[in-house]
Amino acid sequence: MLDLQRIEKDEYQLREGEQHQDYVPLLLQFIGDPQPELRDNLIYPMFYMWIKEENRFSEEELRSFLSVLTDKNHLFYHIGSEEDQSVFTRTFSALPIALIVQRHRQNPFFTQVEIEQLLHTMLRYYKEEKDLRGYLSEGGWAHSASHGADVLAELVQCKECSTVMRGEILVAISEKLNNGKHIFSDEDDERLVNIVDGIIDNELLPHQEIADWISSLAQCCTLPRSRSQVITRVNNKNFIRSLYFRRGQDSRQNELHTVMLATEAKLNRFSIR
């Protein structure tokens, strides 16, 4: 921690004789440390600066880096567990993955097969991750839904991502909203909206397919009333509202606005009909 605090103070520049490669094993070892000061305030900013801002890693280094981040000791560390500290390792392994994909989008170096493999890995992670807590009084941010969404928001805009793959990402969003146990209260809906907003803004899917998917979010209203059904309805309602206001009054998307308003009305049991 003292080393990282010193590097942060020096604006992420290393001293003579130091190499960024020397720090990578330690950064990965402590990537999910329970101390937010180390995990969130020091390790992730270093990844951000060295991957995104300073471009310190070669393409082969990023490939190797990604292989570790997606292994059973990082993204899939104790996958499926809930209410324990392993969530920090999983979710903070996702954040650098988003940075690596963003780097690829700017200067492509992954193959079509590699991007497809990464997408399937992330979809598997999103399906198997069960700890959906946001901010914890002890440990700080967990935010698995948000951090996973950050990666998907980058992947969905990759030129290697097919229409079918983008449809699979929409299904993954629905499944996360329909988790039935956890109401997202720490703005995970906004991070999930980033994915769909990118699809709409860059016209990555036909409008009718997006409209049909938005309409499908109201299907939970037909389920028998239960606590699980209420959680699902509220998550979908909040997501639709976030998407609607994110899109603003873009005149090009009037048909989608109409669908969003109609879907929100179905999800909002207090709306005046």
Side-chain angles (χ1 to χ4, degrees):
M1 186 179 287
L2 291 175
D3 282 338
L4 297 188
Q5 288 172 337
R6 183 258 301 173
I7 294 172
E8 179 190 37
K9 184 178 180 181
D10 291 342
E11 298 183 340
Y12 299 96
Q13 301 305 304
L14 299 177
R15 292 176 178 175
E16 186 176 353
E18 291 183 322
Q19 300 291 328
H20 65 270
Q21 293 93 336
D22 299 333
Y23 285 93
V24 170
L26 287 172
L27 294 176
L28 291 170
Q29 180 181 346
F30 292 98
I31 197 170
D33 195 272
Q35 297 181 79
E37 172 63 22
L38 179 58
R39 181 189 74 248
D40 207 345
N41 298 344
L42 292 172
I43 292 179
Y44 175 66
M46 186 164 291
F47 283 139
Y48 183 89
M49 290 299 297
W50 285 359
I51 295 174
K52 180 178 173 66
E53 297 295 327
E54 299 181 0
N55 199 16
R56 286 182 178 242
F57 296 101
S58 69
E59 294 174 0
E60 286 308 309
E61 285 176 322
L62 290 176
R63 272 195 174 88
S64 176
F65 195 13
L66 183 63
S67 178
V68 175
L69 288 167
T70 55
D71 69 18
K72 65 180 181 180
N73 295 316
H74 292 85
L75 188 65
F76 291 95
Y77 180 66
H78 291 183
I79 190 68
S81 64
E82 300 179 65
E83 306 294 327
D84 64 26
Q85 294 182 332
S86 68
V87 66
F88 296 125
T89 295
R90 297 191 298 274
T91 63
F92 278 82
S93 293
L95 285 178
I97 296 174
L99 297 174
I100 292 172
V101 178
Q102 187 178 80
R103 165 89 174 268
H104 165 78
R105 286 182 54 218
Q106 295 167 346
N107 294 288
F109 60 93
F110 286 125
T111 66
Q112 177 77 32
V113 171
E114 287 172 328
I115 289 294
E116 290 178 0
Q117 289 175 338
L118 178 57
L119 176 59
H120 290 311
T121 296
M122 291 308 304
L123 290 175
R124 177 192 156 205
Y125 164 71
Y126 226 41
K127 181 182 291 289
E128 296 181 9
E129 178 62 79
K130 304 303 179 185
D131 195 331
L132 303 180
R133 295 174 294 172
Y135 186 83
L136 312 184
S137 57
E138 293 186 10
W141 291 107
H143 245 180
S144 66
S146 287
H147 293 186
D150 289 351
V151 184
L152 294 176
E154 294 294 335
L155 283 169
V156 80
Q157 296 188 64
C158 288
K159 63 181 180 63
E160 298 86 357
C161 190
S162 67
T163 298
V164 171
M165 294 161 69
R166 290 181 178 120
E168 291 177 358
I169 290 174
L170 291 182
V171 171
I173 296 173
S174 299
E175 290 176 347
K176 194 57 66 178
L177 294 171
N178 298 351
N179 71 82
K181 292 183 178 180
H182 182 84
I183 291 178
F184 295 117
S185 58
D186 286 302
E187 296 193 306
D188 300 85
D189 53 322
E190 296 290 350
R191 305 276 272 275
L192 287 162
V193 161
N194 285 341
I195 305 170
V196 182
D197 189 42
I199 291 175
I200 297 172
D201 207 39
N202 294 287
E203 300 184 341
L204 300 176
L205 283 174
H207 281 186
Q208 189 58 53
E209 183 173 344
I210 300 170
D212 291 344
W213 176 77
I214 290 172
S215 296
S216 74
L217 298 180
Q219 290 177 356
C220 61
C221 297
T222 64
L223 298 174
R225 182 71 183 274
S226 66
R227 180 57 184 161
S228 176
Q229 190 263 356
V230 170
I231 289 171
T232 297
R233 182 178 57 78
V234 171
N235 279 339
N236 282 287
K237 180 182 70 171
N238 291 342
F239 174 86
I240 286 293
R241 289 176 172 181
S242 296
L243 180 61
Y244 179 82
F245 284 105
R246 181 75 64 88
R247 295 306 303 168
Q249 297 301 318
D250 187 347
S251 60
R252 297 173 301 170
Q253 313 298 342
N254 282 338
E255 66 273 32
L256 291 182
H257 278 245
T258 300
V259 171
M260 283 187 262
L261 287 172
T263 304
E264 194 278 344
K266 293 178 181 177
L267 290 163
N268 184 0
R269 60 187 295 264
F270 297 98
S271 64
I272 300 174
R273 289 174 169 78

